[in-house]
Structures are given as C-alpha cells and as structure tokens.
Amino acid sequence: MPNFKCKILKEIQLPFQKDGVEFLWLAKGENVNLLFTHVQQESFFLQIKKDNKKQEWLIKGEKHTKPSQIGYLQKALLIFKENFTQDIVCEAVALKHTRLIQKTPLIVNNIKELLDKIQDKKQIYIEIGFGSGRHLLYQAKQNPDILIIGIEIYTPALEQVAKLALSENLNNVLLIETDARLLLSVLESNLVDKIFLHFPVPWDKKPHRRVVGLNFANECARVLKDTGQFELRTDSYMYFSFTLETFLNFSHLKAEIAKNKNLEVSSKYEDRWKRQEKDIYDLAISGFGKSENLNKKQKFAIEILKFNLEELDYIKNNFKNNVFKGENFFLHIEKIYVKDKEIIIKIAFGAFYKPEHIYIRLGEHRTDFVFNEPFKTKENLKAIEKLREILYSYIKQ
C-alpha cells in the first residue's frame, strides 16, 4: 500500500482542490484521523496517524476504502505530501501514470461493477477458483455466446488468465477477485446456467473452511435457473461425499455421479493427480426448480435513526469497542471519529466468512453510510438491525 512518513504536518485547510484531487473533510479519532478524498468520481479515506514515540506522521490509504485503481491513491498522497507536509522521512508513493488506467476490461474492480456489466446477459457460467484458467478458457472458446465469470482470490491468477483470454480474442470473459459466497448472495435469482467448482482446497482437517456449506448450497440453488447445474470436480473423496450430503438437504434435486471421467480439458492439478494415479470424482447437481426473487425494497434499519446534539455527545462519550455474535451474523463496532458535530463509526459486520467493513455517519437529523451502502444480504441486514438496537439503547439511557 502506498504511504509516506514525515516529521511536520502543516495545518490542513479544507476543502482543498488541486489537479483533480479534492480533500473535503477531516474526521478525528483517538490517534488516527481520516481525510475524505475524492479523485475521478471515486471517494476514499487517507489515514493520518501520529507516532508519538518517534514524533512522526504516517499518511497512507485506509485499506477498507481504497479506490479501484491504485493510481488514484498515489496521486492523492503526492498532492497531500506536496501541500501539507515537510521533512519527509521515507516514502513509497511514486506515481506511475499507467496505474491510473484499468489493466484490462476483462477484470472488474468490485461486485457492483460486475453486476452492472452482466445486466441483460442471457446465459452465464460461473467458475469458482479457476486457478491457471484452463477450464475457464476452454468454456469461453466452446461457448462464445455465453458470459463466463471467473472468481479467484489471487490477483496474479486473474492477471495471467486475463492476458491469455485477450491473446485468444475471448471477449466473453469477466474476472473478479472476491469471495464466491459473497458474490452468489447478491446475484439475482434464476440468473446463472452453470456453476463450476473444480479442485477446491479440500480442507479435510478443517471442513468449516470449505467453500461448500449449507448457505452456499442454498445460494447456488437460488441463483441457478430451473434448468441450471452445479458441478464439482475433486480428487478428495471426503469433499465429494461432504458436498453430496450437503445438497441432499434439498427435497428435490437430481445428482449425477462419475468417477475418473476424462474431460476434453484437464487442469494442472488434475494432471498431477492422474500421474499419481489418484481417483477423480465428479458430482453434477440440478433440478432445484425456480426460486423467488431477492427483496430489493428492504431498507437498512439504521436509515430511520435520528439524533439530536445531546444524544450524539452521549454516544461519543460512552462509545465502546464491542463484538456481537448472532445466528449466522456478527457485528464489530470498531472505532469512532468526530467530524464537527457529527460522528463517524467504523464497523465490521455480516457473515463470519464474508465480513464487510464500512463507515456510518451519525449527524443531527441524519444517519447514513459514508460511502456506498452495503449489499442487502440476510447477514448484513441482521447486523445493521443489531447496530440500530445498540445506538437506540444509547439515546434511551
């Protein structure tokens, strides 16, 4: 993450604008301040932290609000450094203008961008954990009229497969770095034709870390069309049997099982397992039927909260770092910052395996999300309802 350290921090006069970078307001915390920054239609925080022992300031991007392109953050740091600091101790913010441009149109920066791009797509395949991309690229070649979405958590894999797809003129590919469970939970119902999960990490000794679980199975069933199919391919019999047992919780489905089936394309892992004469298991699940659509009209409970200045002072003076665990969700009230007469609260929340981090602004007669509101997943809605209850209890003290 780009950053720099300095000995002297000048007075910050806001709002400030230069060369397309805007610094709009400052929220002060116990030992960290947040500077609301705007570059090229994107907003994020710069974090200003003082090291009292060394008498130095560290300025960097706040990791949970970082912009889609690192160049925006680099530019903001350089503008801040040039105008509000002296005596630079060290820095790692060299601006490369090429970083201001998205590397490839095949990689999307976030889930919202992906959702915008898949509107009106008639057929969609999803591959979870595509690795070297052999199977994903094969599907893209064989099905030029079908959009192939690849999900991976390793950036080098995304970049490498995107280059391969471009070199082969495959324009029906979209790649994203995210947790598959989060993406599935926000997709429209009855949208996807196939979901591939090939050679996932088996986690035989830690089954709770597996991608597959009852919630995952429910989301697969919801997002798949009534003619859709989920396909697992694995060298782990334990993972195979666990997945079958999980999907058998549904009252109606069709399961097709195969062992050591030869496909037209083979992953590097599969090649390795075959050389070791390991068995390969295939499981194809279909027949879920048509699912109900997501309820997009639901509102977050926090939107109805209103505070007066006395209540805001009470929240500020009695704030506590707390963690609350509910059924299938959690809420961690992490930090509080003060902006004039408003309060900024940072929280982590949602499902245990797919946490989100956001900032909420509490003001006189106004409560809202500082940046985009989170996705309306079941877990997120429950967590924000819990936050509303906690804040409401503050003002009723």
Side-chain angles (χ1 to χ4, degrees):
M1 179 79 74
N3 67 86
F4 69 89
K5 292 181 180 180
C6 65
K7 287 289 186 180
I8 298 176
L9 187 68
K10 301 177 184 177
E11 183 180 357
I12 303 173
Q13 298 286 345
L14 300 175
F16 177 89
Q17 190 278 332
K18 186 175 181 180
D19 295 339
V21 175
E22 295 178 275
F23 301 130
L24 299 177
W25 49 263
L26 189 71
K28 297 181 178 181
E30 186 175 350
N31 64 340
V32 174
N33 296 337
L34 300 176
L35 181 61
F36 188 84
T37 304
H38 191 76
V39 182
Q40 293 290 331
Q41 309 304 315
E42 291 200 45
S43 299
F44 52 94
F45 279 137
L46 290 188
Q47 192 177 83
I48 305 170
K49 183 177 182 179
K50 187 172 184 180
D51 186 331
N52 290 314
K53 185 177 180 180
K54 294 183 178 180
Q55 289 297 301
E56 294 177 352
W57 295 89
L58 170 65
I59 294 88
K60 63 179 182 178
E62 199 282 323
K63 65 179 180 180
H64 294 120
T65 67
K66 63 182 180 181
S68 63
Q69 298 182 47
I70 199 68
Y72 297 157
L73 174 57
Q74 290 173 311
K75 188 173 183 179
L77 287 170
L78 285 173
I79 295 294
F80 186 87
K81 178 170 70 83
E82 293 167 358
N83 291 275
F84 299 111
T85 67
Q86 287 181 343
D87 295 349
I88 302 301
V89 176
C90 61
E91 60 180 306
V93 285
L95 179 60
K96 297 180 181 179
H97 292 283
T98 54
R99 300 301 298 271
L100 295 175
I101 304 172
Q102 191 178 32
K103 293 181 180 179
T104 166
L106 303 187
I107 298 177
V108 294
N109 295 307
N110 51 58
I111 291 177
K112 185 179 183 302
E113 183 182 345
L114 176 70
L115 296 179
D116 291 339
K117 287 196 171 188
I118 66 175
Q119 291 183 19
D120 303 323
K121 296 295 183 182
K122 293 183 178 180
Q123 288 186 284
I124 296 175
Y125 289 178
I126 293 177
E127 180 160 359
I128 300 170
F130 54 79
S132 64
R134 290 186 192 176
H135 180 262
L136 183 145
L137 296 172
Y138 171 81
Q139 290 293 340
K141 292 175 191 174
Q142 296 298 310
N143 303 283
D145 297 325
I146 297 177
L147 175 64
I148 314 296
I149 298 175
I151 305 172
E152 185 56 79
I153 60 173
Y154 299 109
T155 301
L158 270 83
E159 295 176 347
Q160 179 62 27
V161 173
K163 290 178 182 177
L164 291 172
L166 289 172
S167 69
E168 299 181 34
N169 295 317
L170 298 173
N171 298 313
N172 58 329
V173 171
L174 278 181
L175 309 177
I176 184 169
E177 179 183 350
T178 189
D179 188 304
R181 294 164 292 192
L182 176 57
L183 177 59
L184 291 178
S185 69
V186 300
L187 288 177
E188 295 282 359
S189 301
N190 313 298
L191 177 72
V192 179
D193 295 270
K194 286 188 179 182
I195 298 174
F196 301 102
L197 179 61
H198 285 192
F199 299 100
V201 179
W203 295 112
D204 289 340
K205 295 182 180 179
K206 297 180 180 179
H208 65 281
R209 299 194 64 177
R210 292 170 177 162
V211 173
V212 173
L214 188 55
N215 285 339
F216 173 84
N218 286 330
E219 292 299 343
C220 284
R222 184 184 61 78
V223 304
L224 284 166
K225 296 176 180 176
D226 56 359
T227 57
Q229 178 176 280
F230 167 78
E231 178 184 296
L232 171 74
R233 188 166 174 85
T234 179
D235 62 295
S236 168
Y237 179 76
M238 290 178 66
Y239 205 117
F240 161 79
S241 59
F242 170 81
T243 303
L244 177 59
E245 182 180 349
T246 300
F247 277 93
L248 284 175
N249 283 284
F250 291 92
S251 57
H252 296 89
L253 57 79
K254 177 182 178 182
E256 298 179 15
I257 297 171
K259 181 178 178 180
N260 295 327
K261 180 171 65 174
N262 286 318
L263 302 183
E264 292 185 31
V265 61
S266 176
S267 74
K268 65 178 183 179
Y269 293 107
E270 183 174 352
D271 291 341
R272 183 189 305 168
W273 305 149
K274 286 179 177 178
R275 288 194 297 270
Q276 297 175 5
E277 298 184 346
K278 294 183 68 173
D279 292 324
I280 306 296
Y281 305 92
D282 282 281
L283 174 63
I285 305 288
S286 59
F288 297 108
K290 193 173 179 65
S291 300
E292 292 185 3
N293 292 326
L294 290 173
N295 183 4
K296 290 187 174 182
K297 294 183 179 180
Q298 277 187 280
K299 289 188 175 182
F300 284 111
I302 198 168
E303 296 171 358
I304 63 175
L305 280 174
K306 299 290 185 288
F307 302 95
N308 58 40
L309 294 179
E310 183 180 349
E311 291 166 341
L312 290 172
D313 282 338
Y314 187 88
I315 293 173
K316 179 173 61 177
N317 296 329
N318 292 275
F319 172 81
K320 294 180 181 178
N321 182 314
N322 277 317
V323 178
F324 301 88
K325 295 182 180 179
E327 185 178 356
N328 298 323
F329 80 95
F330 82 100
L331 168 67
H332 181 192
I333 304 175
E334 295 185 10
K335 297 177 182 178
I336 189 170
Y337 302 85
V338 177
K339 172 188 172 287
D340 300 324
K341 295 179 180 180
E342 296 180 335
I343 294 173
I344 309 294
I345 298 177
K346 182 181 181 181
I347 67 170
F349 68 105
F352 297 102
Y353 58 83
K354 53 182 181 185
E356 292 194 57
H357 296 79
I358 63 167
Y359 287 87
I360 291 175
R361 173 169 38 202
L362 310 181
E364 190 175 17
H365 311 305
R366 177 174 78 168
T367 299
D368 59 10
F369 299 101
V370 175
F371 301 98
N372 295 329
E373 72 172 30
F375 293 108
K376 292 176 181 176
T377 64
K378 298 186 292 292
E379 299 88 352
N380 287 356
L381 287 163
K382 289 179 181 179
I384 298 299
E385 169 63 28
K386 182 62 179 178
L387 178 64
R388 186 199 69 82
E389 292 177 10
I390 294 166
L391 294 175
Y392 188 73
S393 70
Y394 273 126
I395 65 177
K396 289 298 181 181
Q397 295 279 341

